[in-house]
Amino acid sequence: MQRGGGCLSGLQRTGSQIASLYPCSNASRQVLNLSGFWDFRFDPGDAGLDAGWGAGFAPQRPIAVPASWNEQFEEALDYLGPAWYQTRFILPWGWSGKRVRLRFGSVNYLAAVWLNGAHLGEHEGGHLPFEFDAAPYLRAGENLLVVRVEGELAPDRVPPGRIPPDPRDDFPHRNHPDTSFDFFPFCGIHRPVVLYATPRDAITDLTVRTELEGTTGLVRVRLDRTPGDGATARLSLKGHGAEVAEEVSLSGETAEIELTLPDVAPWSPEAPNLYELAAELSRGGEVFDRYSLPVGVRTVTVEGDALLINGEPVKLRGFGRHEDFPVAGRGLVPPAVVKDYALMRWVGANSFRTSHYPYSEEAMDLADRLGFLVIDETPAVGLFFAEEGLGRRLQLCRQYVRELVARDKNRPAVILWSLANEPHSKRPGAKEFFRELYGLTKSLDPTRPVTLASMHEEADEAFEFCDLICLNRYFGWYTEPGMLEEGFARLSEDLDAAHARYHKPVIVTEFGADALPGCHSHPPEMFTEEYQAEMISGYVRVLEEKPYVAGQHVWNLCDFKTAQEARRVGGMNLKGVFTRDRRPKLAAHRLRQFWNARHDEDTR
Ligand code: GCB
């Protein structure tokens, strides 16, 4: 069976566009959320393209959007091949003549989109938003939107993977333990799909950078707009008893404006203060477009061995996580997002990494509001550097960096960009690959440190230019199994060696042990709650003693679904300190005692 993605090459590639500002409704803008139950059909024979399903197809069954398909239908758990979605909607009154965009929050992995039979384009890669100009294809009254989704694993994709066809099955594209990563390769439309309208002459982007000078906050904003006649751009910041505004006249497509906030209330984990930035475009005194955005005034710097927020050293305590929810798979479940923040707060965490792909914009909004510090990671997990396909993988990684920075650049919660998780970077070519991505990230956002998470015993060569060192460590689990004390000793030596080599702050971005909930032993044995609790406590003790360790992220907040293989009981990675249905294991209680005590000491 030919891999589905290849079949799309015959289509005219109009291409999707990078999505930045999250759509909003106000006096000049409107949003139509298309989430709900869509028509759906699997296409294991990949017949839909030739049969013209882009113009509409005979539905097989309903499916929830957003959500993965894998846990909605019992026969499709492992199916990653082509599938088709369609929905109908009525164009809201008053939208004709406007600039109308169709925006997808995340489709995993490859999306091809048709509106009223017209092929709008494609997007490769899950977890990041993309959009299309929909206006030329919309009709008054009913409209038909069709999306073909395909999520097979292949070495030239990122993340890469390999799935040998299985002729015994009606669904020949199967998941396989030979993925390059340890989480379930869920497929589908994972985040909301919206249609939004703005005036034709509109604000297209805002880029906010903040600085602190004593008690004064400086907020530099770049405003981008569609090409158009001269206009006045007005920016105001409101909140915490202050209101400041500036105006400039705008002949081209960008304006740069600086706003000053005397006696600023900075954003920090303890006080996640947000101001409302309101941008307006007007002509002849009449406002024709507006957009508002929460802004937190804060700085992030790396100095010597420390990571500083607002000039003060910070120690990250928290988790690597997954977007992984029963039934919804990787689909957005707003109450689960709220619950996970509540659990992290309860345990005393102040941060997390978006392992191993960017999380939903909705979840990131809450991090800004709740004061969590986020290491924001691209979807580049399990990269390898064989020459074949390397150029394509680099091109995709560049695209992911551009899309991620465009999406999250204004978020105070995001304090670090992570380029990748556990690349096989001892291979030739890896260092240059990452040097290029590092340079691209810095050129797009010079304000945040850039790193990647590495598993190597010896630290990674890319750490020569990364701003800090992120290490995933499993001594006492994958190495020294069952030997906790030996594991702690190796951890200590290993971290000292990495620090001695690079003289940069170190964050241990993963450490942990699988524990079957309800499984106990004394003395602690592997896979029991006691072993997990002892291992995590021992690591935390070592990490707290090292002045150059700027962060500790337990792997994982919750148990999560992964590929079926011998070491994964029930197809689950059980390293969560909470179960997949969010019940605490012993380790969660231990961490809670430890981190809350440390937090009290730090803030005393
Ligand atoms: C790692 C990976 C993570 C795995 C974890 C494990 O190093 O970064 O994706 O889930 O180990 O549990 O094996």
Side-chain angles (χ1 to χ4, degrees), residues 182 356 421-422 472 474 478 510 555 560 568 573 575:
D182 176 30
H356 296 311
N421 182 69
E422 299 197 348
N472 298 344
Y474 290 95
Y478 291 124
E510 287 186 22
W555 190 254
F560 60 90
R568 294 285 179 249
N573 182 311
K575 293 195 186 66

Side-chain angles (χ1 to χ4, degrees), residues 341 351-354 364 367 372-376 413-416:
Y341 280 109
S351 75
F352 63 91
R353 174 169 62 122
T354 68
M364 298 300 281
F372 279 86
L373 301 169
V374 182
I375 302 178
D376 207 359
V414 173
I415 55 158
L416 263 170

